[in-house]
Amino acid sequence: MLKRTSLESQAGRLAVKNLEVGYGSIPIVRGASVEVEPNRIVGIIGPNGAGKSTFLKGVMGILPPRAGTVVYDGRPLQGLRPDQIVSRGIGYVPQLRDVFDNLTVAENLDIGGHIARAGRNQRKDEIYSQFPVLAERRHQSAHTLSGGQRRLLALARALMSKPRVILLDEPSAGLSPQAMDTVWEHLGKLKDQGLALLIVEQKARALLSIADWVYVLVDGRNAVDASGAVLLDDIANLGKIFMGGSESNTDNHVNSVIH
C-alpha cells in the first residue's frame, strides 16, 4: 500500500493520531489515525460497528477523546467544545438531525452562520449561488424538502461558517441514486474550491470512486489505507479486510458492505 508523509506540522491540515473514543466505559475507537489536507476528499470506510461515526464525533468534541491528538493548522483541538472547533474552521454534517425541520431553509442557514454574524447575509447569498435549488426554496420549511435537498441544506448550513475542512457522516444515507449523484457532484466542487473533506460512508464503492485517499477501520483501528483507486481495484481483498482477514463467505460480505 502507498505511504504518505506526516501532515501534522503543515498549515491547513487536519491530523488525527491514535484517537481513542467511546461511550461510558466502552471503547469504540481504539487508536485510529487519519490525515486530511486541502483539495482532497478523504474517506473512512469499514464494517458496521467499526467506529467510523464515533471517530468523527471524537474529532468534533461531541465525544471527549480519551487519548490521542487532534491537530488542525498546527493547533490542538482536543479538549475544545464543538462550537469552538467550528470557529477554528472545521464544519460537521451529521447523519441524523442534520437540519431543523420546523425552520425554513433561510432560517437553517442563519443558524449555521451564527459564528460569523457580521457577514451572514452576504455568506447566505454566496451559498444560494452555489445551491440554486435552495435559493428557490429559501422560504420553505425544511420538512418539505426531498431527501437530496435536505442533505444539500445540511451541507450548505455547515458551509455558512466558512470552514476549510468539512466532516460528513454518511452523506448518501437514504438517498436515491440520482440524489446521491447530486451530493457527490457538490462535494467534488467543494474539493476543487480548496476545501478538505473527510467523509464516513457505508456505500464504500461510491466513495472509493471519488476519494483521493481512504482509510479502512476495523474494530476501531486502522486496518489499511490507500488511494480510492487502489482499493477499488482490489475489492475482493477489501472484503477480507472488513472481515478481519477471514476467507470464508468473502463474496457475500463484499456484496453487503461494498455497494
Side-chain angles (χ1 to χ4, degrees):
M1 295 296 180
L2 301 177
K3 297 294 182 182
R4 300 167 67 203
T5 58
S6 174
L7 303 171
E8 187 168 353
S9 63
Q10 299 181 33
R13 271 68 173 176
L14 175 68
V16 185
K17 295 187 178 297
N18 303 317
L19 192 69
E20 295 184 11
V21 183
Y23 296 88
S25 61
I26 303 174
I28 304 296
V29 178
R30 308 164 186 262
S33 301
V34 167
E35 297 177 342
V36 192
E37 58 185 299
N39 293 103
R40 290 173 73 86
I41 293 176
V42 173
I44 301 178
I45 61 175
N48 290 331
K52 304 183 296 297
S53 297
T54 303
F55 181 90
L56 294 189
K57 292 177 181 177
V59 173
M60 288 302 301
I62 298 170
L63 293 174
R66 302 176 177 184
T69 60
V70 182
V71 177
Y72 174 65
D73 209 7
R75 297 184 296 177
L77 299 182
Q78 65 269 20
L80 298 181
R81 302 188 309 269
D83 63 298
Q84 293 173 319
I85 293 175
V86 170
S87 69
R88 296 286 178 92
I90 312 293
Y92 175 57
V93 182
Q95 178 184 358
L96 302 175
R97 295 185 293 277
D98 52 352
V99 300
F100 293 99
D101 284 332
N102 60 326
L103 299 182
T104 66
V105 168
E107 290 167 339
N108 269 278
L109 295 181
D110 284 338
I111 290 176
H114 74 280
I115 290 177
R117 295 181 182 179
R120 186 165 57 186
N121 288 335
Q122 179 181 351
R123 181 58 176 165
K124 195 158 54 173
D125 289 339
E126 294 170 353
I127 293 295
Y128 286 145
S129 68
Q130 287 184 269
F131 299 87
V133 67
L134 298 181
E136 296 169 359
R137 293 162 175 78
R138 67 185 71 189
H139 301 302
Q140 288 184 217
S141 294
H143 73 83
T144 67
L145 301 178
S146 68
Q149 293 164 357
R150 179 189 180 99
R151 201 59 47 85
L152 292 180
L153 175 57
L155 176 60
R157 192 178 69 175
L159 289 170
M160 283 291 294
S161 62
K162 296 187 177 181
R164 295 166 65 192
V165 179
I166 300 181
L167 281 53
L168 301 104
D169 191 0
E170 301 276 3
S172 72
L175 299 186
S176 68
Q178 183 178 4
M180 185 171 68
D181 288 344
T182 299
V183 171
W184 291 139
E185 180 182 353
H186 278 281
L187 295 180
K189 290 178 180 178
L190 294 176
K191 167 193 166 180
D192 293 341
Q193 293 170 12
L195 275 72
L197 297 102
L198 178 60
I199 304 174
V200 161
E201 183 55 65
Q202 194 64 27
K203 294 182 175 65
R205 186 184 293 274
L207 182 57
L208 293 176
S209 67
I210 66 166
D212 298 287
W213 201 263
V214 177
Y215 294 84
V216 182
L217 297 190
V218 176
D219 194 27
R221 300 179 176 89
N222 292 78
V224 69
D225 63 279
S227 70
V230 167
L231 292 176
L232 193 60
D233 286 340
D234 199 12
I235 285 291
N237 186 55
L238 182 59
K240 296 173 186 177
I241 293 170
F242 273 37
M243 297 174 69
S246 171
E247 298 288 342
S248 63
N249 297 322
T250 296
D251 290 339
N252 289 337
H253 192 73
V254 168
N255 287 334
S256 66
V257 298
I258 298 300
H259 293 294

